């Protein structure tokens, strides 16, 4: 995340994260990117609107379980 967001430092104001273990180092990301971080409530997909909408659009063309490597 740091590698992807660092060039956009200043343009990114907030980052909304899911509650997964992959975001355990969220404090380091927030510090480098200088953005406020927020966490979604568990099982509230409506708080991640853009993510859920994008997933729906992708699933129109690629079934669940598709390997994107």
């Amino acid at each position: 995340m740091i590698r992807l967001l660092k060039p956009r430092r200043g343009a990114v104001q907030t980052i909304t994260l899911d509650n997964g273990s992959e975001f355990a180092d969220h404090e380091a990301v927030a510090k480098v990117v200088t953005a406020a971080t927020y966490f979604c409530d568990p099982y509230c997909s409506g708080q991640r609107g853009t993510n859920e909408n994008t997933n729906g659009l992708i699933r129109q063309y690629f079934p669940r379980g598709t390997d994107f490597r």
Side-chain angles (χ1 to χ4, degrees):
M1 287 181 64
I2 291 172
R3 181 177 51 83
L4 294 172
L5 294 175
K6 193 173 182 180
R8 291 157 184 82
R9 186 180 196 166
V12 175
Q13 301 296 315
T14 63
I15 302 170
T16 304
L17 306 170
D18 206 352
N19 292 308
S21 61
E22 62 272 19
F23 300 116
D25 202 21
H26 65 90
E27 293 160 334
V29 175
K31 185 175 180 180
V32 170
V33 180
T34 62
T37 56
Y38 300 94
F39 285 91
C40 298
D41 292 322
Y43 307 104
C44 290
S45 59
Q47 294 177 353
R48 297 175 290 141
T50 301
N51 176 267
E52 293 299 320
N53 183 51
T54 302
N55 288 346
L57 294 172
I58 290 170
R59 293 295 166 218
Q60 288 180 5
Y61 303 101
F62 300 100
R64 219 172 263 286
T66 299
D67 184 2
F68 289 104
R69 283 183 274 165

